Amino acid sequence: MLNRIKTILVDFFQQADLALLGLCCSAATFGLVLIASATHYKGSAGMIRYVGVQGMAMLIGVIAYIAISMVDLDSMMKKWKWLVLFNICFIGLLLTPLGIGGSTTGNQAWLRFPGIPVNIGPAEFVKISFTLLLAKQLEYLREEKRDLRSFAPAFQVAGHTLLLMGWYVVISGDMGNALTFFFIFLCMAFAAGFALRWFALLFVVSGVGIAGALSLGLVKNYMVDRVIVLFDHSYKPQGVGWQQSRSLLAIGSGGLFGQGYMNGTQTQAGDGSIPYQWTDFIFAVCGEELGMLGCLAVMALLAAIIYRVLLVAKNAQTNFHSFVCVGMAAMMIYQTVINIGMCLFVMPTIGVTLPFFSYGGSSVVTLFMAMGVVSGIKKRSPTVRRKPGKPIHSNI
């Protein structure tokens, strides 16, 4: 048994993407530092609890990264029907007594398993399996020599995405994570070479659908308010605009160098200052206490991770592997842009965490899992790069 573990570890350190693992660990460790400050006002016991849970999740994530790097995706995807079943059933668990509300808006987006100290978000895990399935579908359409610029393939891939989104939204009410699936689909479809006219048509249809839903009163009032407040910051300042106005105040007061670690006026003021400051608004904590330089460090780490994933996509051995990497990068891009945009009051508050930095056990574990998938692809990619002018992917 020990020899087997030793062989696996030697193989991992020789072939896996250690640079990507190092970047992920650096970001997660930086996140631990910020979470410690964000929860410092709760006292030693409270801070240790949050940091301990996040640290344990990080450790599990690293182990998952190593394990998944060893998995042969091509062999696993021969059982793709099991992944479809997993997506349907895991989200469906939200309808059982295990499902709990995750916010005051009534979203049923979390699972609580007996004996597990943290809640689990099914969407975090389904993002990975959805990306794998969508990549497999795109590869299948290519192998069948379908014209990806025609209507039928675009309809099939979009239908897959919209069905999953619909299933998740109807059950959970969580639009933030549902839109992650949509953004992953957009990026992967573009990389596969779908005609731009289908993207334009999709946005037109989406716009008409949103307008129809608004006119029929199908969109909840709090969702409308979160969009209105972006254009009028004085709109309901003690209500829907409270979180983001406090976040913007904290970031602005940090200046270039910040107010000092564990010395932020808003961060250390306790409950009622920056809401959800260790999860959704961890970037505001960084801005207030570490200033612009701290924020730039956060963004640089996330940008480096995304760049590394896209580099693996570019050099991947097959279209399937390349599409998977594009999907994983899209997931990171969406969460990064939306979360930082929320903190800067330019994006609506939709409960999307900052990758690797925000508190959340299931989020950190699944992010390491996703990057482990990328590492496994890099391990199986050719060591000699393809000649320029002969890419195997359309838009990468």
Side-chain angles (χ1 to χ4, degrees):
M1 181 65 177
L2 290 176
N3 289 333
R4 175 59 178 166
I5 294 175
K6 181 181 178 180
T7 301
I8 291 174
L9 290 176
V10 168
D11 181 53
F12 171 79
F13 283 108
Q14 288 180 344
Q15 301 185 56
D17 197 333
L18 297 181
L20 180 59
L21 178 60
L23 288 169
C24 294
C25 288
S26 297
T29 302
F30 195 168
L32 279 175
V33 172
L34 293 176
I35 291 168
S37 180
T39 57
H40 179 253
Y41 76 93
K42 291 178 175 290
S44 298
M47 181 180 70
I48 291 172
R49 175 185 174 276
Y50 283 95
V51 173
V53 169
Q54 191 78 349
M56 183 59 67
M58 179 181 170
L59 177 60
I60 294 172
V62 171
I63 295 172
Y65 182 102
I66 296 172
I68 292 177
S69 293
M70 303 294 111
V71 174
D72 185 348
L73 286 182
D74 296 292
S75 297
M76 187 185 75
M77 290 309 295
K78 293 177 182 178
K79 308 288 185 181
W80 61 269
K81 293 180 181 178
W82 288 103
L83 282 182
V84 174
L85 185 63
F86 169 79
N87 287 352
I88 296 172
C89 294
F90 201 39
I91 292 174
L93 286 177
L94 293 170
L95 295 173
T96 71
L98 296 173
I100 60 173
S103 72
T104 55
T105 59
N107 291 350
Q108 189 85 353
W110 299 91
L111 295 171
R112 178 178 293 164
F113 291 97
I116 298 179
V118 294
N119 300 329
I120 294 176
E124 303 294 343
F125 294 89
V126 172
K127 289 173 192 174
I128 298 176
S129 51
F130 166 72
T131 300
L132 295 175
L133 285 169
L134 198 63
K136 188 66 178 178
Q137 185 177 24
L138 289 170
E139 183 191 48
Y140 170 78
L141 291 172
R142 272 182 169 274
E143 289 180 349
E144 290 292 306
K145 301 189 184 304
R146 306 284 184 89
D147 181 6
L148 296 185
R149 301 178 65 85
S150 63
F151 176 76
F155 179 79
Q156 292 174 30
V157 178
H160 174 192
T161 304
L162 294 175
L163 283 173
L164 181 66
M165 285 180 62
W167 176 241
Y168 180 70
V169 171
V170 167
I171 292 178
S172 70
D174 178 13
M175 185 59 70
N177 273 312
L179 289 174
T180 309
F181 298 124
F182 187 67
F183 188 77
I184 290 172
F185 152 72
L186 288 179
C187 293
M188 292 177 69
F190 176 77
F194 280 74
L196 294 180
R197 62 178 177 272
W198 301 128
F199 293 99
L201 177 62
L202 181 62
F203 284 116
V204 170
V205 171
S206 298
V208 172
I210 292 171
L214 287 170
S215 63
L216 294 174
L218 299 178
V219 181
K220 296 179 181 179
N221 291 333
Y222 76 86
M223 293 182 179
V224 178
D225 287 343
R226 287 178 178 180
V227 175
I228 293 175
V229 76
L230 295 179
F231 301 95
D232 181 6
H233 289 187
S234 64
Y235 179 72
K236 296 184 179 180
Q238 298 300 314
V240 67
W242 174 257
Q243 297 181 30
Q244 290 172 289
S245 62
R246 303 307 290 181
S247 170
L248 198 60
L249 175 63
I251 294 173
S253 65
L256 182 61
F257 299 104
Q259 298 180 14
Y261 184 63
M262 291 191 177
N263 286 310
T265 303
Q266 300 297 320
T267 299
Q268 304 304 327
D271 296 326
S273 55
I274 308 174
Y276 308 107
Q277 60 188 25
W278 53 91
T279 54
D280 295 356
F281 290 92
I282 195 72
F283 189 76
V285 173
C286 181
E288 182 177 52
E289 297 195 341
L290 303 181
M292 181 185 293
L293 294 181
C295 291
L296 289 175
V298 168
M299 291 188 286
L301 275 171
L302 292 172
I305 293 172
I306 293 167
Y307 173 77
R308 187 70 185 179
V309 173
L310 291 176
L311 190 62
V312 175
K314 181 179 180 181
N315 296 322
Q317 190 173 12
T318 66
N319 285 304
F320 169 65
H321 290 164
S322 183
F323 296 149
V324 169
C325 291
V326 169
M328 299 305 180
M331 177 178 68
M332 289 281 298
I333 292 169
Y334 173 83
Q335 290 188 220
T336 299
V337 171
I338 294 296
N339 183 273
I340 293 178
M342 282 165 42
C343 293
L344 295 176
F345 218 157
V346 295
M347 290 287 182
T349 304
I350 54 177
V352 174
T353 56
L354 188 62
F356 292 108
F357 287 89
S358 293
Y359 174 80
S362 58
S363 174
V364 169
V365 170
T366 51
L367 282 166
F368 272 103
M369 290 173 64
M371 296 303 104
V373 170
V374 175
S375 175
I377 290 172
K378 188 260 182 184
K379 174 184 173 183
R380 292 167 179 80
S381 297
T383 54
V384 179
R385 297 182 62 177
R386 290 183 300 274
K387 294 181 179 180
K390 293 185 178 181
I392 60 172
H393 324 297
S394 296
N395 293 324
I396 298 177

